[in-house]
Amino acid sequence: MSNSNLHLLEILVLPEQIENELDILNSIKSKTGICIEDIKEWRIIKKSIDARKSPVKFRLEVEINLNDIPFEPIHKPVYSNLQPTLNQHAIVVGFGPAGMFAALELLKCGIKPIVIERGKNVRERRRDLAKINKEGIVNPDSNYCFGEGGAGTYSDGKLYTRSSKRGSVEDVLNTFVEHGAAEDILINTRPHIGTNKLPGIVESIRETIQKLGGEIIFDCKLTDIHIHDNKIKGIETSNGFMQTENIILATGHSARDIYELLEKKNILIEAKPFALGVRIEHPQEIIDKAQYHCDTKNPNLPPAYYSLVTQAAGKGVFSFCMCPGGIIAPAATAPGEIVVNGWSPSKRNGKFANSGLVVSVDENDWKDWQHKGNLSALYFQKEVETKAYLAGGGNLVAPAQKIKDFIRNKESSSLPECSYIPGISSANLHQILPAKVRKSLQEGLIYFSKKIKGFDSDDGIMLATESRTSSPIRIPRDKETLEHTEITGLYPCGEGAGYAGGIVSAAIDGIRCAKEIAQKKTNPKV
Ligand SMILES: Cc1cc2nc3c(=O)[nH]c(=O)nc-3n(C[C@H](O)[C@H](O)[C@H](O)COP(=O)(O)OP(=O)(O)OC[C@H]3O[C@@H](n4cnc5c(N)ncnc54)[C@H](O)[C@@H]3O)c2cc1C
């Protein structure tokens, strides 16, 4: 740090001390020897929980300032002061996190984004979501995955990522704060927005894009791509033809019709490994007790979290998208399938904890679908989702089983309370999941039940299927230019392209694709 009057240090404090300024200052004093009176300003710049042993503590990275020059703000807005001059355009297909951040970045680079989105804006989308929950009816263009903000709008809004691009992650988090997320996401090592806050943030990002000159067209679906000499010439949409030389294709991993279209047009796509399994749920209390090593949870601690991983029966088994205090969500994108996922409100104050529990699958698992060529993994995925729908008995009722009964391969005679709103019905999930997946899950669950006390108790339940953790297809692209390996001007982007997983990495991928288009437009190859 250049200013010798600024110091960074790490301290551990008990949960009851986290809101007490004097306790924190005393910890700083005992760690550094600096008198409290000499500290002009202090702030927490990273916060995490260390629950490895009892007592559970908060680990804080603290910055202290010993001079009179105030700290620079942690949050750095970008778009409030931006005044771009736009003289070119690019088309973005899909307005999920990848499409949203691609559009923002194009504006930064002086290019007008024209975004087409098959779904509706956040407000109108709500009516279709009510139909899913109340009547079990899925509109294939407007659901929990399709519409303004994509799958991100009604996601859980956990913003952690394995991306090592620190600067890019900070840019994405800062953009969320600029559009209404709490600044806490900039310091928390496990940043989380919450389903209740995301729709407003997404609307605010849309307003920024429009204010800066971008165009967003809802209810507009990409139906065909015009290509000549392996170059993009335009797109066909439900609203008609649009001429363009560059498309950012950010349609997500649930847009099966897009994969079918690419395959039909002989645009190279590849089946790729993905993960398949169930969503599990427990009373939050069980997880709190196990993870915080206590009988009664300290009210200063957030609802507890877990992350589980093992190798079982030759396959990776892992928890995914764990939602403390959350609910299980119906994430199907077409009639006749059950897809579950999870979310939680910003306060994570629901009474259940849910998580995906999935098994890695590869080409050996979808051998029976080999006749479908590049779409084989997708058909394998779809088959399991359809089986789950039929086992549930329709109307999005999900087949469910107690964890302990799944381990014993026995249908549950009764089911505990569950947060999934369309409802659950008892079924043996062994009859739905592929053989290797259920074997790995069974062994994995036995192992995880030793790690977390109460995991296989009477209240632990599992629902099929958690099948969309990642894309079963990759749309291959050049490592440098990010263009499709065979089609100039086609930028496969985000989760659906197989190059991202989750909100932040999809957003970063959107930014990268936009930058490449800008770079190409400024330095065209002759
Ligand atoms: C319930 C739930 C909870 C989740 N929780 C988290 C979480 O906590 N943290 C996390 O990181 N991730 C979470 N995810 C995953 C996250 O939402 C996705 O990884 C992310 O949204 C992917 O972004 P994307 O832009 O690549 O694709 P998507 O978000 O899928 O967006 C694609 C968009 O393209 C549109 N589209 C599709 N086809 C067409 C077409 N033909 N024409 C025009 N538009 C089209 C779709 O309508 C959609 O809006 C969750 C997902 C769900 C469903």
Side-chain angles (χ1 to χ4, degrees):
M1 194 173 299
S2 54
N3 185 340
S4 61
N5 284 318
L6 290 178
H7 298 262
L8 264 187
L9 68 144
E10 195 178 87
I11 54 171
L12 286 167
V13 299
L14 290 165
E16 46 276 24
Q17 295 177 313
I18 189 76
E19 295 296 337
N20 188 324
E21 204 166 312
L22 194 59
D23 281 343
I24 294 182
L25 282 166
N26 277 325
S27 296
I28 295 173
K29 184 181 165 195
S30 61
K31 177 116 189 201
T32 59
I34 296 171
C35 289
I36 294 178
E37 300 73 49
D38 291 337
I39 299 175
K40 302 282 191 259
E41 257 187 317
W42 69 275
R43 64 183 176 186
I44 298 168
I45 56 166
K46 275 279 166 274
K47 181 162 91 179
S48 59
I49 291 177
D50 190 341
R52 283 172 296 181
K53 52 183 190 231
S54 186
V56 176
K57 290 189 174 156
F58 278 98
R59 185 178 292 277
L60 306 179
E61 215 175 292
V62 181
E63 191 176 18
I64 58 173
N65 186 2
L66 303 179
N67 67 25
D68 290 317
I69 307 161
F71 283 135
E72 289 204 5
I74 294 182
H75 166 49
K76 299 174 188 71
V78 176
Y79 298 97
S80 326
N81 303 321
L82 194 68
Q83 282 172 333
T85 314
L86 309 174
N87 43 29
Q88 309 194 57
H89 86 269
I91 288 185
V92 179
V93 187
F95 197 53
M100 281 193 294
F101 280 81
L104 285 168
E105 188 64 31
L106 286 171
L107 288 162
K108 256 203 232 168
C109 299
I111 298 168
K112 173 180 170 160
I114 302 172
V115 185
I116 66 158
E117 165 56 54
R118 77 195 287 165
K120 302 173 185 171
N121 66 38
V122 165
R123 199 168 289 251
E124 291 176 41
R125 197 175 162 187
R126 281 197 192 114
R127 270 182 241 138
D128 296 311
L129 305 186
K131 277 198 176 166
I132 289 178
N133 284 308
K134 288 188 193 143
E135 299 166 46
I137 297 171
V138 182
N139 174 340
D141 291 318
S142 175
N143 47 58
Y144 276 107
C145 295
F146 294 166
E148 183 172 18
T153 309
Y154 297 95
S155 73
D156 186 41
K158 283 181 287 296
L159 301 177
Y160 14 112
T161 170
R162 271 174 283 174
S163 170
S164 52
K165 299 181 188 84
R166 233 17 282 159
S168 313
V169 174
E170 277 159 21
D171 285 352
V172 172
L173 297 184
N174 269 297
T175 304
F176 280 124
V177 172
E178 191 170 357
H179 293 90
E183 276 202 30
D184 194 54
I185 64 167
L186 301 174
I187 61 167
N188 216 315
T189 48
R190 293 197 165 277
H192 168 244
I193 294 183
T195 316
N196 51 326
K197 305 262 165 145
L198 283 161
I201 294 169
V202 165
E203 280 180 314
S204 168
I205 292 180
R206 179 231 303 159
E207 281 158 17
T208 294
I209 292 170
Q210 288 169 328
K211 201 174 72 194
L212 296 176
E215 196 177 333
I216 302 166
I217 312 167
F218 291 109
D219 290 309
C220 181
K221 182 152 110 182
L222 173 75
T223 53
D224 201 359
I225 302 175
H226 291 259
I227 298 166
H228 186 68
D229 280 346
N230 287 345
K231 290 188 185 118
I232 293 288
K233 291 292 166 199
I235 57 170
E236 210 60 59
T237 79
S238 46
N239 291 7
F241 175 76
M242 293 167 91
Q243 190 268 325
T244 185
E245 287 169 4
N246 294 295
I247 318 168
I248 294 184
L249 187 69
T251 43
H253 64 17
S254 289
R256 289 181 170 154
D257 46 358
I258 290 294
Y259 296 133
E260 305 259 5
L261 172 71
L262 298 178
E263 177 73 349
K264 196 176 86 191
K265 295 189 77 72
N266 285 324
I267 298 175
L268 185 63
I269 58 172
E270 296 160 351
K272 78 175 233 330
F274 64 104
L276 182 65
V278 295
R279 193 143 278 254
I280 52 174
E281 186 171 78
H282 297 88
Q284 180 65 46
E285 211 186 345
I286 291 184
I287 308 302
D288 289 342
K289 280 185 185 170
Q291 298 298 82
Y292 290 151
H293 331 282
C294 61
D295 283 332
T296 336
K297 187 175 87 67
N298 186 322
N300 294 303
L301 283 172
Y305 158 93
Y306 59 79
S307 170
L308 298 165
V309 57
T310 191
Q311 279 287 319
K315 283 184 171 289
V317 184
F318 56 97
S319 62
F320 180 83
C321 182
M322 198 263 155
C323 303
I327 75 163
I328 299 183
T333 48
E337 62 191 28
I338 298 275
V339 180
V340 284
N341 208 307
W343 66 52
S344 57
S346 53
K347 290 190 176 149
R348 288 186 157 159
N349 52 358
K351 58 180 178 175
F352 296 107
N354 72 65
S355 174
L357 198 75
V358 290
V359 177
S360 309
V361 292
D362 57 32
E363 67 269 18
N364 294 315
D365 295 287
W366 56 78
K367 270 191 194 134
D368 290 351
W369 288 101
Q370 254 166 6
H371 58 286
K372 289 287 181 185
N374 298 323
L375 295 170
S376 50
L378 188 150
Y379 273 84
F380 165 71
Q381 178 196 46
K382 193 172 167 178
E383 181 187 34
V384 187
E385 295 168 359
T386 310
K387 273 191 184 172
Y389 182 84
L390 296 173
N395 289 346
L396 293 185
V397 171
Q401 191 169 15
K402 284 183 185 174
I403 290 174
K404 67 174 194 189
D405 290 335
F406 180 82
I407 292 174
R408 291 176 203 148
N409 189 3
K410 162 183 168 286
E411 194 170 322
S412 302
S413 53
S414 65
L415 293 172
E417 195 190 345
C418 171
S419 66
Y420 179 74
I421 297 172
I424 51 175
S425 76
S426 180
N428 189 348
L429 303 194
H430 283 256
Q431 284 157 18
I432 297 167
L433 297 165
K436 286 186 193 164
V437 171
R438 59 185 188 245
K439 181 88 187 104
S440 297
L441 267 183
Q442 226 175 355
E443 284 189 19
L445 282 164
I446 293 169
Y447 174 74
F448 297 144
S449 301
K450 288 183 190 141
K451 294 253 151 203
I452 296 185
K453 197 172 164 213
F455 209 68
D456 57 352
S457 74
D458 230 24
D459 293 321
I461 189 173
M462 49 204 277
L463 276 61
T465 54
E466 174 95 18
S467 47
R468 310 255 180 111
T469 57
S470 50
S471 178
I473 303 275
R474 177 174 296 112
I475 312 176
R477 66 186 190 191
D478 183 274
K479 271 192 191 136
E480 301 293 322
T481 66
L482 306 187
E483 278 171 305
H484 187 274
T485 46
E486 294 173 354
I487 312 290
T488 306
L490 176 61
Y491 292 81
C493 178
E495 196 162 45
Y499 292 97
I503 298 166
V504 175
S505 73
I508 292 175
D509 204 46
I511 295 171
R512 288 185 66 209
C513 288
K515 279 191 171 140
E516 282 306 317
I517 289 185
Q519 162 77 15
K520 188 169 81 172
K521 282 187 187 271
T522 18
N523 297 314
K525 278 191 206 140
V526 267

